[in-house]
Amino acid sequence: MAKSTLSFVCQNCGAAYNRWQGKCDACGEWNTLAEEDSAAVPVSIRSKRKGRTFQLESLSGKSQDAPRLASGMAELDRVTGGGFVRGSVLLVGGDPGIGKSTLLTQATSLLARAGHRAVYISGEEAIAQVRLRAERLGLSDAPVQLASETSVEDIISTLSEGAVPRLIVIDSIQTMWTDTVESAPGTVTQVRASAQALIRFAKKTGAAIILVGHVTKDGQIAGPRVVEHMVDAVMSFEGEGSQQFRILRSVKNRFGPTDEIGVFEMTGLGLREVSNPSELFLSERDLGSPGTAVFAGIEGTRPVLVELQALVAPTSLGTPRRAVVGWDPSRLSMVLAVLEAHCGVKLSGHDVYLNVAGGLRIQEPAADLAAAAALVSSLVNAPLPTDAVYFGEVSLSGAVRPVAQTAARLKEAAKLGFGRAILPESARGEAGGDAGLALNSVGGLSTLVAEIAARGSRRPQRETAAVEKNATPARFRRQDG
């Protein structure tokens, strides 16, 4: 007989405890421990099967690339590394309503129209709901095989009949359950066991499986972290509900890069691929406004130009506010410290707000120079040149350090009509002579601050007064005479 043992497992991180407690020591969350029953098999009745021998290979030799199946969506194939690998398992996470089901419905429909067997298993929605979505997207005629089921054993038994599907979508893994464990659906034990059964089926048959995962309030994929280690790729579908942009980012990928992004636009007919995201992020630029700078960044192998918006305003609080959207708050604190220590820019009495326009999240330190330029521009009320792009890493000593792929950044800026680039002094040699831009190199951050401050001092006083007057509503203006 299998011995039953009780344990308390955190539903957020998967840590197990012998007794219940209010707070999980591993992740720090409260009231996430749930009682689960696990069967421990004694050593005396375990399988006595001997292991089989296998052939060992040498390091030298030819290795063939894994065959891939193109999805028909260029942005999705870019993130996966060229398509779905046979026998691979992908985990896709994202906020509720962000468009995960829409993206996967379009991908399965394109594969089915290409002649491949594609199966969509929904554990959250009824078949009628999925059909309504497909009809709204104009994909109701695609030969996708659809089912609404949550039992893993029934799903595997059904998919084993006939030809092996090329792509299987499980929406979502938190709704699946298996008879091998005695836990409620959605618990850590059920999620782990269901994912393991589906992974074994994928490796055995060669079918590619996409698992949809819920996310927690912190944006992490719900369930144990071990599920992320079990799958071959983890992708995050990001975006703001108020924005029409959606970004598919690869967090882990055993068969491709982990720094690529796919950009989509949410429309009434589904997700539209954006081949040139720079034009999309810069389409609503406010030209000539202080506190805005265009950053020439790199996402994977693709150059992306995005606008950084900064607002520096006097504070009435004892501790000034520091608010960041789309960038690392630690990088902003470092840039503010360098500006105050090495450039004489006093920001201790001002609130600072920084925003990356378009909902994109920037992760590379090359945005330091653009962020510093936007902050100083807002402080001195001096607009930056509208035809200039900025990139460079700021060190703690105030020096501007070079960044990778300078030529690609300049080429993208020239293609979009920019005329000059402010870049690190040591990166001028990597730019090449065919960039088509006027290159303004800066060796230290103090040089850039001095140039922006000079632009602010040369601004006509009448223009400043007119701006202040227009910024005040007419009913609040004091009438002379």
Side-chain angles (χ1 to χ4, degrees):
M1 292 291 294
K3 182 180 178 181
S4 178
T5 60
L6 290 177
S7 61
F8 296 89
V9 181
C10 176
Q11 304 302 305
N12 184 61
C13 67
Y17 301 90
N18 294 328
R19 60 184 180 85
W20 185 88
Q21 57 190 42
K23 180 180 180 181
C24 175
D25 297 333
C27 63
E29 293 292 330
W30 288 86
N31 300 324
T32 57
L33 267 64
E35 180 181 341
E36 295 187 8
D37 190 2
S38 59
V41 181
V43 180
S44 57
I45 62 175
R46 290 178 183 172
S47 175
K48 302 296 183 181
R49 183 182 67 86
K50 294 183 178 181
R52 62 178 180 85
T53 60
F54 54 89
Q55 185 179 0
L56 300 175
E57 303 287 345
S58 62
L59 291 177
S60 61
K62 295 182 179 180
S63 299
Q64 297 181 353
D65 295 335
R68 294 182 180 270
L69 176 64
S71 65
M73 303 179 71
E75 294 297 307
L76 179 58
D77 292 338
R78 173 190 292 270
V79 179
T80 57
F84 303 116
V85 178
R86 292 179 58 89
S88 63
V89 180
L90 293 79
L91 181 63
V92 178
D95 295 331
I98 201 66
K100 302 184 298 296
S101 299
T102 301
L103 173 66
L104 297 179
T105 300
Q106 293 182 227
T108 52
S109 300
L110 291 175
L111 282 175
R113 286 177 174 176
H116 304 287
R117 185 187 179 192
V119 181
Y120 191 99
I121 307 294
S122 177
E124 299 179 345
E125 299 175 311
I127 294 179
Q129 292 176 291
V130 181
R131 286 175 175 170
L132 285 175
R133 183 191 306 118
E135 184 178 356
R136 176 174 56 86
L137 300 177
L139 304 173
S140 56
D141 59 336
V144 177
Q145 296 179 332
L146 181 63
S148 179
E149 184 59 51
T150 57
S151 174
V152 174
E153 284 77 16
D154 295 345
I155 292 174
I156 293 177
S157 177
T158 303
L159 296 179
S160 300
E161 298 179 355
V164 178
R166 295 301 304 273
L167 180 64
I168 303 170
V169 175
I170 305 295
D171 188 6
S172 66
I173 188 60
Q174 274 81 11
T175 61
M176 299 293 121
W177 64 277
T178 174
D179 294 333
T180 58
V181 294
E182 298 180 357
S183 299
T187 59
V188 171
T189 304
Q190 279 286 0
V191 171
R192 183 190 297 112
S194 301
Q196 184 61 46
L198 293 170
I199 291 173
R200 286 198 301 267
F201 175 77
K203 303 303 180 184
K204 180 180 178 181
T205 61
I209 298 181
I210 299 180
L211 306 177
V212 179
H214 294 169
V215 297
T216 62
K217 60 183 180 180
D218 297 329
Q220 302 294 330
I221 296 178
R225 305 291 296 185
V226 68
V227 175
E228 299 187 23
H229 301 312
M230 293 162 55
V231 299
D232 299 306
V234 179
M235 294 181 290
S236 176
F237 205 41
E238 306 170 355
E240 298 292 338
S242 59
Q243 299 281 353
Q244 69 269 31
F245 314 126
R246 300 292 185 269
I247 298 174
L248 184 65
R249 189 183 302 274
S250 176
V251 181
K252 166 193 172 183
N253 195 348
R254 291 175 180 168
F255 307 112
T258 58
D259 52 0
E260 290 285 358
I261 64 169
V263 183
F264 301 87
E265 182 182 6
M266 179 63 75
T267 65
L269 298 177
L271 292 169
R272 183 183 67 87
E273 300 178 69
V274 179
S275 58
N276 190 354
S278 298
E279 287 185 330
L280 192 64
F281 293 138
L282 298 177
S283 59
E284 301 295 333
R285 282 186 64 198
D286 188 8
L287 300 178
S289 176
T292 60
V294 177
F295 165 60
I298 293 289
E299 291 289 346
T301 59
R302 166 192 287 174
V304 176
L305 269 62
V306 65
E307 183 184 27
L308 297 185
Q309 302 171 348
L311 175 62
V312 179
T315 182
S316 59
L317 305 175
T319 303
R321 293 198 59 185
R322 303 287 188 261
V324 190
V325 178
W327 201 38
D328 186 6
S330 301
R331 302 292 307 181
L332 175 62
S333 301
M334 189 202 73
V335 171
L336 293 177
V338 173
L339 285 173
E340 188 152 352
H342 298 286
C343 304
V345 180
K346 303 300 181 182
L347 296 170
S348 57
H350 293 76
D351 292 331
V352 174
Y353 303 90
L354 187 69
N355 177 50
V356 180
L360 182 67
R361 291 195 61 85
I362 298 176
Q363 299 180 348
E364 59 172 337
D368 293 348
L369 192 63
L375 290 170
V376 178
S377 171
S378 176
L379 178 64
V380 302
N381 196 27
L384 298 175
T386 58
D387 63 340
V389 296
Y390 299 78
F391 61 91
E393 180 182 357
V394 176
S395 65
L396 293 179
S397 62
V400 181
R401 299 171 56 87
V403 294
Q405 304 188 39
T406 299
R409 302 172 195 263
L410 297 177
K411 183 178 179 181
E412 179 72 10
K415 185 173 67 174
L416 294 178
F418 288 88
R420 72 179 80 175
I422 289 82
L423 71 166
E425 188 173 13
S426 54
R428 177 184 285 270
E430 304 176 10
D434 55 349
L437 298 175
L439 304 181
N440 298 341
S441 58
V442 291
L445 189 58
S446 57
T447 304
L448 178 64
V449 172
E451 294 178 358
I452 300 176
R455 292 175 59 88
S457 62
R458 292 195 303 265
R459 195 176 187 188
Q461 296 296 328
R462 287 182 299 176
E463 179 183 351
T464 305
V467 171
E468 295 176 353
K469 181 178 179 181
N470 293 333
T472 306
R475 64 178 181 275
F476 295 124
R477 295 177 195 163
R478 186 176 62 181
Q479 300 295 332
D480 296 334

